[in-house]
Amino acid sequence: MEKILNNKRPLSPHLQIYKPQLTSVMSISHRFTGVILSMLLILIPFFFFLLAMGNDYFDIIVIVLDHFLVKLILYGIIFVLAYHLLNGIRHLFWDIGMGLSIKDSYLSGYLVIITSIITTLFFIMYLS
């Protein structure tokens, strides 16, 4: 027992020796985007409250949303939403046992990333 406790080797898998894989990075990203989207839910009632306050507040919202940096953030939110939705669908297919091979999981991972980018670009062109 003392030999096990005195062992100085890192626990496996350790971040210093572990090579990130597409599936692990996308899983972490899926959780991260879920947190971002959850925090953004707080803003929805806030915007409805401002809209209910009248035309002056609506004009302020329009001015704020028309700023370049705010638009850039909104485009990022569109990417986060598209990525989280598509990766969630990918996980649902995994739950029913489809696409679990390494080849299929990498193919679906790249498909999620590419489709998220295309969706974001489509909305950027549509909203501009």
Side-chain angles (χ1 to χ4, degrees):
M1 184 66 167
E2 226 176 275
K3 183 179 178 183
I4 295 172
L5 294 175
N6 291 331
N7 191 356
K8 300 295 183 194
R9 295 186 311 174
L11 298 176
S12 179
H14 196 270
L15 292 177
Q16 293 173 341
I17 60 171
Y18 186 72
K19 181 182 175 193
Q21 301 168 346
L22 179 69
T23 52
S24 63
V25 170
M26 289 189 69
S27 177
I28 293 167
S29 300
H30 185 76
R31 295 168 192 208
F32 185 67
T33 57
V35 170
I36 291 171
L37 291 172
S38 297
M39 288 190 284
L40 289 172
L41 282 174
I42 297 170
L43 295 177
I44 293 173
F46 179 71
F47 280 114
F48 281 136
F49 176 74
L50 287 177
L51 289 174
M53 295 297 289
N55 290 335
D56 294 334
Y57 289 95
F58 177 76
D59 293 337
I60 293 171
I61 291 173
V62 170
I63 291 169
V64 169
L65 291 178
D66 199 36
H67 193 271
F68 173 74
L69 291 177
V70 175
K71 283 185 178 182
L72 197 62
I73 291 169
L74 290 174
Y75 296 150
I77 291 169
I78 291 171
F79 175 77
V80 165
L81 183 63
Y83 174 82
H84 191 78
L85 173 69
L86 294 170
N87 202 36
I89 293 170
R90 176 178 176 234
H91 278 274
L92 288 175
F93 277 105
W94 283 357
D95 288 342
I96 61 173
M98 294 178 63
L100 293 175
S101 70
I102 293 175
K103 179 185 170 197
D104 289 342
S105 65
Y106 270 78
L107 179 67
S108 64
Y110 288 124
L111 187 63
V112 164
I113 294 169
I114 291 169
T115 309
S116 299
I117 292 170
I118 290 172
T119 303
T120 305
L121 292 175
F122 172 77
F123 275 101
I124 288 172
M125 291 180 355
Y126 181 74
L127 294 176
S128 295

